[in-house]
Amino acid sequence: MEAPKFLFSSESVSEGHPDKVCDQISDAILDAALAQDKDAHVACETFATTEFILIGGELSYKGPRLPYERIARDVLRKIGYTSKEIGIGADSCEIMVKVQDQSADIAMGVNRGDILQMGAGDQGIMFGYATSESEGYMPLPITIAHKLVRVATSLRKNGELKGSRPDMKSQVTIEYLPEGPRIDTVLMSVQHDPDIVFEDFKKEIVNKVMIPVAESFGLNTDFRILLNPTGRFVIGGPRGDTGLTGRKLIVDTYGGSSRHGGGAFSGKDPSKVDRSASYYARYIAKNLVAAGAAERLEVQLSYAIGVAEPLSFSLSTFGTKHYEDSDILMAIEKFFDARPGAIISAFGLNTPTWKYADICNYGVFGRPDIDLPWERLDKVEAIKAFFKDKKRVD
């Protein structure tokens, strides 16, 4: 009897997707606040619809009022949204700003003087994940899905994907076989000008995006192709669908291969553990997998608002562990400090060398194009040395 197929799918979206427009505006405001005051507290939400942007939230920072409207228009222009017809007009849309100071009750628990004693900016649970199935220790479906829209967007901006517009989605289905993975289906929805010849447009995307991306992973190119399944995708961006900050949590992380605590990243300063502890949980999981603790590993952290020490650590290895869970947990306790202030200090999260607005697209994990501190493998050798005295269980 033939074995049943094991298929898994993940999706990604481009920077022109309405939700990602909002993520970028919220994170651009965070970048501006941190540039002005590295101790700024930011919780910024953005809503977008036809020719309208609403910016709200709680922000506390030193210095003059941020130019919220200008920041938002600059983001729209950079994406390519320069008219209502394309999706939203950077210069023509209405922008409303409703921001207030951060709650003094929250500030009391977070601001402690000594950064290492900083309390978490909120309660919550965060997950980090890593797998040995790809070079970047990320699941293949989400990694390929991200690259599809990243390549298509680059070609659009360079004028090499004629007729394309900013709003795009991708979805990749991987078939996992005993001899290795193969691509089963590639689905893309790409916004386009109204006067394109669809068959020519499809050939461009297949030949310039889908096939080169598949080949870059050393995978098959005989996959099923779905492009703009409705047959037309002219109306896109905030004109086609409302956008909201933080609505693409699974796209931002592991494409569904790991659990998610529910907290979004964008628009939040690093005292918010939804962001910083998720980065750190990925760092823990990636270094452990790279050190040989397991083939797949998921870490959960939990926090209480105003409390520095995590309430709990837990892990799952999905039947792939090479050492006992108790030994892996001992390694976590020995080599990793998950207090919010320690994370901020270790990763330089309030004085980053990158911009948060630049990493809210195409995932914040497994990024080969940006040197992100939570992707570094600087604990691997120490963890390997620790495991030398421990009994393998495989």
Side-chain angles (χ1 to χ4, degrees), residues 181-196:
R182 68 179 299 276
I183 303 175
D184 181 86
T185 304
V186 174
L187 161 64
M188 291 191 74
S189 294
V190 180
Q191 186 191 9
H192 56 79
D193 293 341
D195 57 351
I196 65 157

Side-chain angles (χ1 to χ4, degrees), residues 51 72-74 76-77 81-83 88-93 95:
E51 285 294 274
R73 295 189 194 281
D74 287 347
L76 294 174
R77 200 173 295 109
Y81 282 133
T82 54
S83 72
I88 189 169
D91 297 309
S92 60
C93 70
I95 297 179

Side-chain angles (χ1 to χ4, degrees), residues 30-47:
L30 170 63
D31 287 327
L34 290 175
Q36 191 166 292
D37 176 8
K38 69 179 182 64
D39 297 317
H41 290 296
V42 177
C44 181
E45 308 288 346
T46 303
F47 168 86

Side-chain angles (χ1 to χ4, degrees), residues 224-236:
R224 181 187 183 199
I225 294 168
L226 293 172
L227 177 66
N228 291 9
T230 66
R232 182 177 169 88
F233 184 14
V234 173
I235 299 172

Side-chain angles (χ1 to χ4, degrees), residues 10 15 28 74 108 130 265 333 335 385:
S10 295
E15 61 196 55
D74 287 347
M108 180 173 60
F265 299 158
E333 292 174 5
F335 296 110

